Amino acid sequence: MKTILVVEDEPRIAQIVQDYLQHAGFGVVIAAAVAGALALAHDRRTDLVVLELGLPGLAALDVARQLP
């Protein structure tokens, strides 16, 4: 099963995205903050990252550059 890391700080939106992806047959890992997303990306092997562009803290492109 392919696993997707979803980085979204709005819990309601994260839940909707998770529901759709799981229904489509994907494993889903949710991170609500940049630090959590980077830690999860380093600790777990994910096949795809869905990254919110408007995260507080680092810009989304800066986060993407730090992903393994």
Side-chain angles (χ1 to χ4, degrees):
M1 174 186 307
K2 300 290 184 180
T3 302
I4 299 173
L5 170 60
V6 177
V7 185
E8 171 59 60
D9 64 345
E10 179 62 44
R12 193 170 184 184
I13 294 172
Q15 184 63 54
I16 291 168
V17 172
Q18 181 178 20
D19 291 345
Y20 274 102
L21 291 172
Q22 286 178 335
H23 182 72
F26 296 100
V28 180
V29 179
I30 301 289
V34 171
L38 292 173
L40 281 170
H42 287 286
D43 292 343
R44 297 189 59 166
R45 179 185 161 103
T46 57
D47 298 290
L48 178 73
V49 176
V50 176
L51 182 62
E52 177 187 357
L53 291 177
L55 290 170
L58 291 173
L61 289 177
D62 292 332
V63 174
R65 287 184 187 105
Q66 294 181 35
L67 293 170

